[in-house]
Amino acid sequence: MNAPKRLKIRLPLETPDDFDIASIIPVFHRWIQERTLPGLLIDVADYKHVPNGPGILLIGDEGDYSLDQADGRLSLVYDRKRATGNDLSESIRILFESVQAARHALEAEAELGLRVPNQAAEIVILDRLQYPNNQGTFDAVKESMQAAIASVAEGATIELTYVASDHRRPLTLQLQPEQEMVLA
């Protein structure tokens, strides 16, 4: 299948009870200065005031990282907005490599006390033209997505579930591994 124009992945976070999302702002600024993550990182945007919103964003040229507060839960999100690969499998590999780099960097910030468990994830294909939000599209991408994810998750068996929602929203897939995923 063709490479989607944009992809997003959301990994739930485990946080200490006293975690303040604003504490990530100086960390993101330091990551820009130290070039902690691959790609060109540009700025930090603070949207923590928006209920169930985007939280704190680390804006990049190829993609944006964020601590997202959507659905009332804190998640690590990577939104790939350009150069997603030659096909769907390569796009998924690039997406996972990028979010994995952010995961390692985030967990290395011991003072934050954040943990990203390798248990579940959500992938959103933000290309509604090529990948309309319907059961047929999900059925068409399921097998290649499972193979691509298994290649970056050390052969983990992944159950993909179609998150049925309003057809005007982007195609969303829930990933649930049969065992804890170990991302390469």
Side-chain angles (χ1 to χ4, degrees):
M1 298 203 75
N2 292 335
K5 302 292 183 209
R6 290 182 53 214
L7 284 167
K8 179 188 287 191
I9 187 167
R10 176 178 281 119
L11 303 174
L13 286 172
E14 291 178 1
T15 63
D17 292 336
D18 62 343
F19 180 73
D20 178 10
I21 192 170
S23 63
I24 196 67
I25 294 171
V27 173
F28 279 176
H29 281 293
R30 184 168 34 82
W31 288 3
I32 293 170
Q33 295 165 352
E34 296 175 357
R35 297 189 172 125
T36 302
L37 299 174
L40 176 63
L41 301 175
I42 300 168
D43 200 3
V44 177
D46 180 352
Y47 290 99
K48 69 181 179 293
H49 62 282
V50 178
N52 296 323
I56 309 294
L57 283 82
L58 175 56
I59 308 298
D61 179 53
E62 296 168 340
D64 302 333
Y65 300 88
S66 66
L67 290 191
D68 182 297
Q69 301 173 349
D71 303 327
R73 61 188 167 109
L74 195 61
S75 300
L76 171 63
V77 175
Y78 179 64
D79 184 347
R80 183 76 179 195
K81 51 189 184 182
R82 73 170 75 224
T84 63
N86 296 320
D87 59 20
L88 181 60
S89 294
E90 185 178 357
S91 298
I92 294 297
R93 182 188 54 77
I94 291 168
L95 185 73
F96 271 91
E97 287 173 355
S98 299
V99 80
Q100 190 64 356
R103 174 184 173 255
H104 288 306
L106 193 61
E107 289 182 337
E109 302 289 341
E111 73 282 357
L112 295 175
L114 298 175
R115 184 173 175 277
V116 185
N118 283 329
Q119 296 174 357
E122 183 179 270
I123 292 180
V124 183
I125 302 177
L126 297 164
D127 183 346
R128 292 186 200 113
L129 182 61
Q130 289 188 76
Y131 296 89
N133 184 6
N134 59 48
Q135 185 68 44
T137 304
F138 171 73
D139 292 341
V141 302
K142 183 177 181 180
E143 192 173 305
S144 62
M145 294 257 316
Q146 284 176 314
I149 293 165
S151 73
V152 296
E154 296 189 1
T157 304
I158 306 295
E159 180 182 331
L160 279 177
T161 307
Y162 171 52
V163 180
S165 64
D166 186 335
H167 71 279
R168 294 171 292 183
R169 299 185 60 80
L171 180 65
T172 303
L173 303 97
Q174 184 72 39
L175 282 67
Q176 189 63 51
E178 291 184 6
Q179 68 278 357
E180 185 169 321
M181 288 190 301
V182 178
L183 300 175

